[in-house]
Amino acid sequence: MQARVRARESQVEFLAMETSSQGIPAPPEDFRCPISLEVMAEPVILWTGQTYDRQSIQRWLDSGHTTCPKTKQELHDDTRLIPNYALRSLIQSWAAANSVELASGGGGASGGGSKSKKSSICSSDSSSNRARKEAVEALVRGILAANPASLIRDSVRELRILAKESRPQRAMICEAGGVAKLLDLLLGKSRPAFPDLQNEIEENAVVALLNLCADDENKVGLVAEGAVDAILHILSRHHHQASIDTRASAALAITSLAMVDVNKAIIGRHPGAMPGLVRLLSSGSPRGKKDAAIALYSLCMLPDNRRRAVAAGVVSVLLTAVENDARYCAAHLAAPAEGEAVLALLDVLATCPEGRAEMRLRRGVVPALVRVMGAAGDSAVPLRARESCAAVLYAVCCEDATWTAIARDAGAAAVAGEMARGLNGECRAARKAASLVQLLSA
């Protein structure tokens, strides 16, 4: 193993010396493909977060390999190659500055002063395509900090609209460096001179990023460019600094990014993720609370994130919401398109020991959970909410005599029995209710 490492290092040193001998400055090591060791013409990202040149990694996959070359992680069936627009832009800038040609298809760098390879997405010679590309580039230039705040505002708003309209336009924005400029705005690196426009600019920037997330490949690329830091920066600020709508949109952007499994882990490990979302869940607007709950639910599909959410105090916030207004809590789940929210999140957290331990400290929540579970005739309380209550009660009552006694006294067995009979035992909710009846009747 050590011999292979030394051989690899020697190969890198040889390539660097060869490049220097041709009068070409040695490129940064991050520009080299880990497989071919040549400058990447078309860097792409695997779901593991590692970047390779497209031709090299495709050859690796086509030869029958099923692992990431660097991390050795199994790829299973997910062999998507996601363009790394940020790195490609840096490589192309370096190539242009040093008169280096990036050979087509990942052939590496060579001297000659030719122009870099064009994007496969935006290479059409049609005048309309060129015009759209030039318009996008002009809008990205409009975000520069030296510009008037009104121009920055208008440019970000137009990018937000373009990002929503079509996939090719989203690709143009990414290739023009729009993501980096939007992130700089959110991180305060390109702050306009007029604070009264700041909230509007930030809201449009967050929604522009959210719209860019419509394409799965962008979800990984945005995280690689630092979108998590920028979005959580918005969530970490006090409510009088970032607007209510901006914070809610930031939570929604986290939900979209977390649809990719590798992003769930990256976001969950960020020190500001769980505290920021829990804070929004506790003190945000109704929309903000809903979006925060949905984001936390998505992140908590990863077991490690459940423990992080519990440590951030999410259980106390959720149980307070249930105790104060069980009907309001359940109503968050009324639209299936919005996904699971408050009660569904409790259901997920009840699957981890830390979550159950926190729940057992709040015995007063039992009657509220029973009320929601028994709201069969209330159109504002969907079946999913009642199912979540049954699941939470079952999880917390298991191996806990005190909770079991409280649940019995609150009439949970009778309510769960009626729920199971009303559903004829034909669905998951009915089975959960029946399991709760059996537990409480033991």
Side-chain angles (χ1 to χ4, degrees), residues 10 14 324 391:
S10 297
F14 172 77
N324 290 344

Side-chain angles (χ1 to χ4, degrees), residues 37-91:
L37 297 182
E38 296 179 341
V39 175
M40 293 180 279
E42 192 175 358
V44 293
I45 309 171
L46 285 177
W47 71 262
T48 58
Q50 302 300 317
T51 297
Y52 303 92
D53 190 71
R54 181 181 291 277
Q55 186 181 51
S56 297
I57 189 61
Q58 191 63 63
R59 189 184 301 118
W60 168 274
L61 296 172
D62 291 345
S63 65
H65 293 93
T66 60
T67 59
C68 172
K70 285 190 72 174
T71 68
K72 309 305 179 186
Q73 289 175 269
E74 282 289 338
L75 300 176
H76 304 294
D77 295 327
D78 193 351
T79 57
R80 290 173 298 169
L81 302 178
I82 302 163
N84 190 333
Y85 293 114
L87 183 57
R88 182 163 66 179
S89 177
L90 291 173
I91 292 173

Side-chain angles (χ1 to χ4, degrees), residues 338-379:
E338 293 175 353
E340 291 86 355
V342 174
L343 291 169
L345 179 55
L346 267 179
D347 187 354
V348 171
L349 295 172
T351 64
C352 75
E354 295 85 353
R356 292 193 296 274
E358 286 292 320
M359 293 177 196
R360 285 171 179 150
L361 298 176
R362 297 281 292 272
R363 299 169 185 173
V365 77
V366 174
L369 291 171
V370 173
R371 283 198 305 275
V372 176
M373 185 173 62
D378 191 339
S379 60

Side-chain angles (χ1 to χ4, degrees), residues 40-373:
M40 293 180 279
E42 192 175 358
V44 293
I45 309 171
L46 285 177
W47 71 262
T48 58
Q50 302 300 317
T51 297
Y52 303 92
D53 190 71
R54 181 181 291 277
Q55 186 181 51
S56 297
I57 189 61
Q58 191 63 63
R59 189 184 301 118
W60 168 274
L61 296 172
D62 291 345
S63 65
H65 293 93
T66 60
T67 59
C68 172
K70 285 190 72 174
T71 68
K72 309 305 179 186
Q73 289 175 269
E74 282 289 338
L75 300 176
H76 304 294
D77 295 327
D78 193 351
T79 57
R80 290 173 298 169
L81 302 178
I82 302 163
N84 190 333
Y85 293 114
L87 183 57
R88 182 163 66 179
S89 177
L90 291 173
I91 292 173
Q92 290 177 343
S93 296
W94 171 83
N98 294 283
S99 299
V100 172
E101 177 184 4
L102 297 178
S104 176
S110 61
S114 299
K115 290 185 179 180
S116 301
K117 176 184 151 185
K118 287 185 179 180
S119 161
S120 60
I121 298 175
C122 299
S123 60
S124 171
D125 290 330
S126 69
S127 59
S128 61
N129 193 67
R130 287 198 303 273
R132 284 196 299 270
K133 185 175 180 181
E134 289 171 0
V136 168
E137 291 172 347
L139 290 173
V140 171
R141 289 194 299 271
I143 306 177
L144 295 175
N147 292 330
S150 58
L151 175 59
I152 295 175
R153 176 198 59 195
D154 294 344
S155 298
V156 175
R157 184 173 57 215
E158 288 301 313
L159 287 173
R160 166 185 175 169
I161 294 170
L162 289 174
K164 186 177 182 179
E165 288 179 347
S166 71
R167 182 188 184 98
Q169 289 178 174
R170 289 190 286 273
M172 289 179 185
I173 292 171
C174 291
E175 291 193 334
V179 172
K181 295 294 188 298
L182 291 170
L183 298 182
D184 285 348
L185 279 177
L186 296 179
L187 289 168
K189 296 178 181 179
S190 301
R191 191 169 302 282
F194 304 101
D196 56 319
L197 295 180
Q198 185 68 17
N199 282 338
E200 184 180 356
I201 291 171
E202 288 183 339
E203 166 69 4
N204 280 301
V206 170
V207 178
L209 292 173
L210 176 60
N211 291 340
L212 290 172
C213 288
D215 304 321
D216 282 348
E217 59 265 30
N218 284 349
K219 290 179 172 66
V220 174
L222 283 167
V223 170
E225 289 200 50
V228 175
D229 283 339
I231 294 169
L232 292 178
H233 177 70
I234 293 297
L235 283 178
S236 70
R237 298 167 64 189
H238 299 300
H239 68 277
H240 64 275
Q241 293 176 299
S243 74
I244 293 173
D245 287 341
T246 302
R247 296 172 72 209
S249 296
L252 200 55
I254 291 295
T255 300
S256 184
L257 292 173
M259 291 176 67
V260 178
D261 284 344
V262 67
N263 287 351
K264 286 184 177 70
I266 293 171
I267 296 169
R269 287 196 298 266
H270 193 289
M274 297 304 177
L277 289 169
V278 171
R279 190 181 306 112
L280 182 60
L281 180 65
S282 174
S283 59
S285 64
R287 178 200 163 191
K289 290 179 178 180
K290 178 198 69 180
D291 290 339
I294 293 172
L296 286 164
Y297 179 87
S298 181
L299 290 171
C300 286
M301 291 297 98
L302 189 70
D304 285 347
N305 284 344
R306 297 170 198 169
R307 291 186 283 273
R308 295 180 179 116
V310 172
V314 69
V315 171
S316 176
V317 173
L318 292 171
L319 294 181
T320 297
V322 174
E323 287 177 334
N324 290 344
D325 196 341
R327 178 190 172 94
Y328 169 78
C329 224
H332 282 312
L333 300 175
E338 293 175 353
E340 291 86 355
V342 174
L343 291 169
L345 179 55
L346 267 179
D347 187 354
V348 171
L349 295 172
T351 64
C352 75
E354 295 85 353
R356 292 193 296 274
E358 286 292 320
M359 293 177 196
R360 285 171 179 150
L361 298 176
R362 297 281 292 272
R363 299 169 185 173
V365 77
V366 174
L369 291 171
V370 173
R371 283 198 305 275
V372 176
M373 185 173 62

